[in-house]
Amino acid sequence: MRHKSRVILDGNDRAGARAMLKGTGFDDEDLKRPIIGVAHCWIETMPCNLNQRDLAQHVKEGIRAAGGTPQELNTISISDGVTMGTEGMKTSLVSREVIADSVELVARGHMFDAVIGIGACDKTLPGLAMALVRLNVPGILLYSGSIMPGHFHGKEVTIRSVYEAIGANAAGKMSDEDLIELENVACPGAGACGGQYTANTMAMAMEFIGLSPMGSASPPAVDGRKNAVGKEAGELIMDVLSRGVLPKDILTREAFENAIAGVATSGGSTNSVLHLIALAREAGIPLDIDDFDEISRRTPLFCDLMPGGRYAAFDLDLAGGTPVVAKRMVDAGMVHNDAMTVTGETFAEAAQHAKETPGQDVVRQIGNPCKETGGLVILKGNIAPNGAVVKLFGYEREQHRGPARVFDSEPAAHDAVLAREINPGDVVVIRYEGPVGGPGMQEMLGVTASIVGQGLGDTVALVTDGRFSGATKGLMIGHVAPEAGIGGPLAAVNEGDTIIIDIAARRLDVDLSDDEIAKRLANWSPPAPKYTSGVLAKYAALVTQADNGAIMRVGFEL
């Protein structure tokens, strides 16, 4: 079981290494046991990861009880909710790579025998998952839990409610006093954003893919059950190590299809497309953007979860949690039952542990889905030849034709929305916010929520080479590839051009001939780089397009 650590700790020539570790409190017996890295993303800049130090102690307790020696480390995290609408938002997707790189470096350098990653806020779980695959040592992912919903005027609210309220306030539909009152109650404590937004989407996806124990994500961050889950995860990692199960043993094509089905049936975040493609590249599994559309077409939307539905993640836990969703999918024949999970059970065996709360309606019954097809839709057309992504809950219009309102940055668009310069029927086009052009492919929740908050969600569409928060709802199309920043056809769109969206046909077009688009692009020149040094400049130089998961070029055949 000490397949790595014995190299760095055993023998007279390793006395220096042992001496250093004894200086931190370890003794000889500790160093004779398997060394388990406990990586988390605790940080004081957000509530999302605020409980992870405490949760790590329970994980470490389980590791020790099962015969291992834990070594705790933590890495970075960027809060999308805090940085939204600022230049700081450009750092968020970049952080996924830094998280993966930093955990990989520590685990390689210190030769951990196994690793358990504790994540929450949006980029942490995919970043930790990427690190586990690169290391390919026995590993587990543990979600530290969702925030509890806030309550405002008798209704459950989340951070999305605040961003929509900003738009309502700008439109004169909400007073300053009510906005402040909502701000004060929307985030009542520790935990990741409380709908089926990106954090909860990826937590469910990691259970469906098999890297997280089924049901471990469901208890909220502040629930006492989460500590017990942590201890059990610590014990489990020792079992995984003894069985010699590696992440690449679990991450098969069938496992990825199960994860996509979980996202589709729960109305999950469009960011899952980026993250699952990135993880598939790390694992060497063929996966492309069209697979998401194919799987979503055949997967019913069973979960009535925010942002499109009525319920928060906390309510899903009350209904029985992720295992209820998994069992519904098994019973409906929508998943690969025999896919392996980290516990040693198959997907179907793990789903059989579900304890569904009688009368719950968070997860619909077979035969009565919220929608016959899943929430993810992939569009292509003459301004998105390599694809674009939209999330639909079922009540959105499926066709839209309107004039382009073109903005070359997210702040410019947001200012126009808040100034009430956007009219019913418009298509807001935000470009030069892609992986290279942004750089960093920032989210647009500030813009999209303000559009919804002003009452324009049913009449205005948005198209961008940036991306969206998992909290976004409405006819909002992102991940346009190739992006404008590298000369993609979105760069050819002019103010007033007619944009045509046809969901049923899976089309996204501008009403221009191919010759006209080519003529405009021939006269186009790329904007000057926004960063010429530092991490964002390095990212812009190495990152690929959204349809390839916005991964780094190094080490991959693209």
Side-chain angles (χ1 to χ4, degrees):
M1 292 172 68
R2 298 177 68 242
H3 62 116
K4 299 281 188 183
S5 62
R6 66 188 180 198
V7 176
I8 202 170
L9 294 176
D10 289 3
N12 290 347
D13 62 331
R14 301 310 305 161
R18 294 192 297 273
M20 294 288 286
L21 289 169
K22 287 175 181 178
T24 71
F26 294 108
D27 61 24
D28 286 326
E29 289 305 310
D30 293 329
L31 301 181
K32 291 176 183 176
R33 301 185 186 107
I35 306 297
I36 313 300
V38 180
H40 59 74
C41 310
W42 181 91
I43 198 166
E44 210 168 26
T45 60
M46 65 187 83
C48 314
N49 307 342
L50 204 58
N51 65 321
Q52 289 182 6
R53 271 181 174 171
D54 293 336
L55 183 58
Q57 302 314 306
H58 296 278
V59 172
K60 290 160 70 176
E61 181 184 348
I63 291 169
R64 291 191 191 98
T69 294
Q71 290 187 353
E72 185 178 351
L73 61 139
N74 77 281
T75 185
I76 68 159
S77 183
I78 305 292
S79 170
D80 297 30
V82 174
T83 62
M84 191 74 64
T86 73
E87 193 72 4
M89 181 70 237
K90 295 180 179 181
T91 65
S92 176
L93 186 58
V94 182
S95 75
R96 184 188 72 184
E97 313 308 313
V98 178
I99 291 164
D101 290 352
S102 60
V103 173
E104 179 192 3
L105 281 171
V106 175
R108 285 193 190 280
H110 289 272
M111 299 187 180
F112 296 147
D113 297 304
V115 175
I116 182 164
I118 305 173
C121 190
D122 297 2
K123 310 310 169 294
T124 61
L125 281 175
L128 290 165
M130 289 164 67
L132 290 186
V133 176
R134 293 177 189 175
L135 294 163
N136 205 33
V137 298
I140 293 175
L141 290 178
L142 178 62
Y143 181 50
S144 57
S146 173
I147 198 170
M148 298 290 283
H151 292 88
F152 177 74
H153 295 184
K155 293 183 179 180
E156 285 189 352
V157 292
T158 67
I159 188 63
R160 185 203 81 206
S161 310
V162 179
Y163 277 100
E164 290 182 0
I166 293 170
N169 176 258
K173 297 181 178 182
M174 175 179 273
S175 68
D176 291 352
E177 292 76 18
D178 278 353
L179 178 60
I180 293 171
E181 181 185 347
L182 174 58
E183 169 191 329
N184 289 339
V185 300
C187 298
C193 298
Q196 193 66 349
Y197 311 153
T198 305
N200 283 306
T201 295
M202 292 310 300
M204 183 180 288
M206 290 304 99
E207 291 192 24
F208 269 59
I209 212 168
L211 286 179
S212 295
M214 186 71 72
S216 61
S218 301
V222 298
D223 193 302
R225 290 174 296 151
K226 186 61 78 174
N227 294 337
V229 168
K231 183 178 180 183
E232 290 168 4
E235 295 168 345
L236 176 61
I237 190 64
M238 295 302 297
D239 175 59
V240 178
L241 177 59
S242 70
R243 288 186 279 119
V245 176
L246 306 178
K248 288 185 179 180
D249 297 331
I250 294 169
L251 294 179
T252 61
R253 168 72 187 203
E254 291 74 20
F256 277 96
E257 291 188 1
N258 283 353
I260 296 169
V263 174
T265 198
S266 64
S269 170
T270 53
N271 286 310
S272 63
V273 179
L274 286 173
H275 299 324
L276 289 173
I277 289 176
L279 186 59
R281 296 292 181 272
E282 299 283 0
I285 300 299
L287 190 72
D288 63 43
I289 195 170
D290 294 322
D291 292 320
F292 289 80
D293 194 76
E294 179 184 340
I295 293 168
S296 189
R297 280 179 187 263
R298 66 178 187 242
T299 303
L301 179 63
F302 282 128
C303 300
D304 193 358
L305 292 169
M306 297 178 182
R310 295 176 293 166
Y311 293 110
F314 167 68
D315 299 303
L316 176 59
D317 177 53
L318 293 179
T322 303
V324 174
V325 184
K327 189 171 188 304
R328 194 75 83 245
M329 296 290 280
V330 168
D331 292 345
M334 296 294 169
V335 288
H336 298 284
N337 291 350
D338 293 336
M340 179 183 178
T341 73
V342 74
T343 63
E345 295 179 303
T346 66
F347 186 95
E349 288 168 344
Q352 294 308 310
H353 300 303
K355 296 180 180 178
E356 183 170 347
T357 302
Q360 68 81 26
D361 61 350
V362 180
V363 184
R364 296 279 191 91
Q365 301 298 318
I366 295 174
N368 183 36
C370 301
K371 188 162 72 87
E372 293 295 334
T373 57
L376 294 176
V377 175
I378 304 301
L379 307 178
K380 292 187 177 180
N382 66 4
I383 53 174
N386 293 348
V389 184
V390 63
K391 177 176 66 177
L392 301 175
F393 197 76
Y395 49 72
E396 302 88 351
R397 61 205 182 282
E398 291 209 346
Q399 292 186 329
H400 186 100
R401 183 185 183 101
R405 302 296 308 280
V406 180
F407 302 93
D408 288 346
S409 71
E410 187 271 351
H414 199 194
D415 288 347
V417 173
L418 293 181
R420 307 191 70 183
E421 296 173 1
I422 304 302
N423 303 310
D426 285 349
V427 179
V428 176
V429 174
I430 305 175
R431 62 190 179 190
Y432 302 114
E433 292 291 5
V436 175
M441 203 180 177
Q442 68 172 310
E443 290 184 353
M444 307 286 168
L445 180 61
V447 178
T448 62
S450 293
I451 288 170
V452 172
Q454 289 188 12
L456 296 172
D458 292 333
T459 58
V460 168
L462 189 149
V463 175
T464 181
D465 50 13
R467 60 191 179 88
F468 297 121
S469 163
T472 292
K473 64 179 183 179
L475 194 56
M476 313 295 180
I477 300 165
H479 305 205
V480 169
E483 62 175 293
I486 63 168
L490 196 64
V493 176
N494 290 339
E495 181 81 8
D497 286 345
T498 299
I499 304 294
I500 305 166
I501 302 165
D502 188 335
I503 299 298
R506 298 302 200 259
R507 296 289 303 181
L508 172 62
D509 296 287
V510 60
D511 192 12
L512 298 172
S513 68
D514 291 345
D515 287 345
E516 177 62 22
I517 292 173
K519 179 181 175 182
R520 292 185 185 184
L521 290 177
N523 295 318
W524 173 86
S525 58
K530 294 172 184 173
Y531 291 86
T532 57
S533 63
V535 64
L536 291 174
K538 181 164 56 176
Y539 182 84
L542 295 174
V543 72
T544 61
Q545 291 297 285
D547 61 305
N548 202 41
I551 58 172
M552 301 290 97
R553 288 187 178 89
V554 177
F556 295 93
E557 293 183 9
L558 301 176

